[in-house]
């Protein structure tokens, strides 16, 4: 397949994923004082008794134009699969100067927000999602959100003195990271999302210094069950990024599952109309139930 054909196919799949109208949540709650400090909740459809909670962290290269609304059809899809769902918003990079491209993420705000949201979740689930079981939580995230899911599950292995470090692992059933930006060194070499990893950490002057606090490939082993779902035809976050993370985990003595979907690109993983999305739901179920 030529690069032009691959790019055209990827664009069509992205258009399909973004073609679904946003789905309103059942309720929304704040975990902080900023307008982006909110979590949308969907109650599970069908079933009886408390259901596992899937925490969704959206992608979009940590950039402001992409918020949680674009994955609301995916969140609703999971709710119809019997999961309780919590979709987290967080602060992303501001618009570029003089009309330029938006910046990827904010340091340290993006990380502050994800840490605060995860810490607040057990209480918010009990208050706003009574059909959800806070003892059975699975983190999932797509692309940049996959990075944040892996990072949130690894806070207990952050360097000593890190403001986000926890004393113990988060009480999670596991993580299912979807085409995650999971290894910053490889992603940076490949120019993933227009150099978004370097921007997220504050640019060239801070990349090496801040990587140990932010790069999932350096935060291993976590001791938390982890599965990566990766499209084999993904040209946005190529399979090499997930493969490098899995290799780093193996070297650290941890087995990370990798489900590689041949001929699948980046966006079908969160497109309810795509077969790949059903595979994602099954991978989550393997850890949640």
């Amino acid at each position: 397949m030529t690069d032009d054909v691959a790019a055209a196919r990827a664009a069509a799949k992205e258009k399909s994923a973004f073609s679904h109208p946003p789905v309103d949540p059942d309720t929304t709650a704040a975990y902080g004082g900023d307008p982006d400090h909110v979590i949308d909740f969907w109650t599970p459809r069908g079933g009886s008794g408390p259901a596992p909670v899937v925490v969704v962290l959206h992608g979009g290269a940590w950039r402001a134009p992409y918020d949680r609304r674009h994955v609301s059809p995916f969140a609703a899809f999971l709710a119809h699969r019997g999961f309780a769902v919590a979709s987290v918003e967080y602060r992303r990079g501001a618009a570029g100067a003089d009309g330029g491209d938006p910046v990827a993420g904010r340091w340290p705000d993006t990380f502050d927000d994800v840490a605060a949201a995860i810490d607040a979740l057990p209480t918010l689930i009990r208050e706003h999602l009574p059909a959800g079981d806070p003892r059975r939580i699975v983190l999932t995230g797509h692309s940049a959100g996959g990075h944040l899911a892996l990072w949130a599950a690894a806070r207990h292995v952050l360097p000593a003195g890190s403001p986000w470090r926890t004393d113990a692992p988060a009480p999670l059933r596991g993580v299912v990271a979807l085409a995650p930006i999971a290894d910053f060194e490889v992603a940076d070499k490949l120019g993933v999302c227009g150099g978004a990893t370097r921007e997220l950490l504050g640019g060239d002057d801070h990349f090496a210094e801040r990587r140990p606090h932010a790069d999932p490939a350096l935060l291993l082993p976590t001791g938390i069950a982890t599965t990566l779902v990766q499209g084999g035809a993904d040209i946005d976050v190529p399979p090499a990024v997930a493969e490098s993370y899995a290799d780093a985990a193996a070297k650290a003595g941890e087995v990370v599952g990798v489900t590689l979907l041949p001929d699948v690109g980046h966006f079908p993983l969160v497109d309810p109309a795509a077969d790949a999305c059903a595979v994602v739901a099954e991978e989550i179920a393997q850890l949640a139930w």
Side-chain angles (χ1 to χ4, degrees), residues 178-279:
L178 315 176
I181 304 177
D183 184 314
F184 278 15
E185 182 177 19
V186 174
D188 185 56
K189 288 178 179 177
L190 294 174
V192 166
C193 298
T197 52
R198 197 165 284 264
E199 283 186 4
L200 175 67
L201 301 190
D204 294 348
D205 292 343
H206 299 289
F207 186 67
E209 163 203 349
R210 292 175 175 171
R211 259 190 74 208
H213 299 267
D215 186 346
L218 301 181
L219 301 173
L220 292 160
T222 67
I224 293 174
T226 301
T227 298
L228 312 183
V229 183
Q230 175 70 49
D234 191 336
I235 62 173
D236 295 281
V237 183
V241 181
E243 291 164 357
S244 181
Y245 176 84
D247 288 345
K251 290 175 183 175
E254 188 161 76
V255 176
V256 167
V258 179
T259 299
L260 185 66
L261 304 179
D263 300 321
V264 170
H266 191 62
F267 290 95
L269 302 178
V270 291
D271 182 352
D275 292 341
C277 200
V279 175

Side-chain angles (χ1 to χ4, degrees), residues 18-79:
F18 282 85
S19 69
H20 308 287
V23 179
D24 290 333
D26 295 309
T27 189
T28 300
Y31 64 87
D34 190 271
D36 282 329
H37 290 165
V38 292
I39 302 175
D40 289 339
F41 294 104
W42 281 263
T43 58
R45 274 45 174 179
S48 59
V53 179
V54 182
V55 179
V56 177
L57 290 154
H58 71 80
W62 310 283
R63 292 184 169 121
Y66 302 96
D67 64 14
R68 70 194 187 284
R69 296 287 285 169
H70 84 269
V71 293
S72 61
F74 172 65
F77 169 82
L78 293 175

